[in-house]
Amino acid sequence: MFKNIREDIRSVFDRDPAARTTFEVLTCYPGLHARVLHRLANILWHANLKWPARFLSYLTRGLTGIEIHPGATIGRRFFIDHGMGVVIGETAEIGDDVTLYHGVTLGGTSWRHGKRHPTLGDGVVVGAGAKILGPITVGAGAKIGSNAVVVKDVPAGATAAGIPARILDEEKKKTAGFDAYGIGNDQNDPLSKAIHGLLGHSVTVDQRIDFILQQLEKMGVCVEEERATADKFDPNHLNKIVD
């Protein structure tokens, strides 16, 4: 137990630059308190002391703002930063070195018994406000962007963002260092990519129209009015706005 607590404290220093002293972490970090109390509740749960386990979980929620069902399975060096509003369901399974931020939900999508909550692999980072729902798997090293709603499996090493969450271009690429809010270097979402594509298509269409006008001018057709009233836009400027 004490060895695990020491690991948890060390993981706080590794992932939160605001942490200054061990005493501060022990007394002021609700994520650490919730993890320690969950270990006790989990022991009671597996000892078939269901009500005491649930009651301890209930008290922990009041103390920390973090609700972890005593039946949830959690690995080593688990870190919840800020913590308020985190909900972890009964059949959730969390690997080692996983990080959750405030407002994260590992929830279910049905009232049926059995496995109904997510499984998170080792090293997963889940950004603030994200919802991971159903008996799906988030692969090791994956990142979930803030406020994402994930309802399908996420491959190992991928970054998922959006509502519903989609895999970004950097899927399965590994990046060095710790990314606090689960957002990759390439933050283009499908909507921005679609807009960039439309802007590029507009440039091509304008070039074709200009070519047609040139040919008409060679044939003696007056196109000055069409040129004067043609819409003018700067695609590079618009691309920067979308980014």
Side-chain angles (χ1 to χ4, degrees):
M1 173 70 78
F2 292 107
K3 177 183 177 182
N4 290 331
I5 294 175
R6 286 196 294 269
E7 281 190 339
D8 292 338
I9 294 171
R10 199 157 51 244
S11 72
V12 172
F13 285 110
D14 290 341
R15 301 178 221 176
D16 184 5
R20 296 178 298 175
T21 66
T22 298
F23 181 74
E24 180 183 66
V25 172
L26 281 171
T27 55
C28 300
Y29 276 71
L32 178 64
H33 303 155
R35 180 65 184 107
V36 172
L37 292 171
H38 172 264
R39 283 196 180 97
L40 297 175
N42 188 253
I43 291 171
L44 294 173
W45 183 263
H46 289 292
N48 206 32
L49 299 170
K50 305 297 187 185
W51 184 86
R54 289 301 303 268
F55 189 67
L56 179 56
S57 176
Y58 171 75
L59 294 177
T60 302
R61 184 182 67 170
L63 175 66
T64 66
I66 298 168
E67 181 174 342
I68 307 177
H69 192 284
T73 301
I74 300 177
R76 298 167 60 184
R77 297 176 296 278
F78 177 57
F79 179 50
I80 303 176
D81 201 2
H82 306 297
M84 184 62 68
V86 168
V87 177
I88 300 175
E90 177 186 3
T91 61
E93 299 175 53
I94 299 173
D96 297 336
D97 302 300
V98 170
T99 302
L100 307 184
Y101 285 81
H102 48 284
V104 168
T105 298
L106 305 184
T109 55
S110 75
W111 294 341
R112 290 177 295 182
H113 294 288
K115 176 66 171 173
R116 59 190 186 279
H117 298 102
T119 297
L120 274 56
D122 296 345
V124 169
V125 179
V126 184
K131 308 294 183 284
I132 306 177
L133 307 175
I136 62 175
T137 299
V138 178
K143 299 181 181 68
I144 308 300
S146 299
N147 297 316
V149 177
V150 184
V151 293
K152 295 181 179 179
D153 290 348
V154 177
T159 297
I163 304 175
R166 296 178 175 84
I167 308 302
L168 302 187
D169 272 351
E170 61 176 11
E171 175 180 344
K172 298 183 180 178
K173 292 181 182 177
K174 295 182 179 179
T175 56
F178 175 71
D179 197 329
Y181 286 91
I183 299 175
N185 294 326
D186 179 4
Q187 298 181 31
N188 290 334
D189 62 17
L191 181 59
S192 67
K193 290 178 182 178
I195 295 174
H196 284 309
L198 289 172
L199 289 173
H201 181 68
S202 296
V203 171
T204 302
V205 171
D206 281 354
Q207 291 172 344
R208 290 174 178 174
I209 291 174
D210 186 63
F211 175 77
I212 292 171
L213 293 177
Q214 290 176 10
Q215 298 305 310
L216 290 173
E217 282 180 322
K218 290 179 180 179
M219 296 171 61
V221 178
C222 180
V223 296
E224 291 182 1
E225 183 177 350
E226 284 72 14
R227 289 192 181 280
T229 57
D231 292 333
K232 304 292 183 182
F233 76 100
D234 183 354
N236 292 326
H237 176 66
L238 293 176
N239 276 316
K240 289 179 181 178
I241 293 175
V242 174
D243 289 335

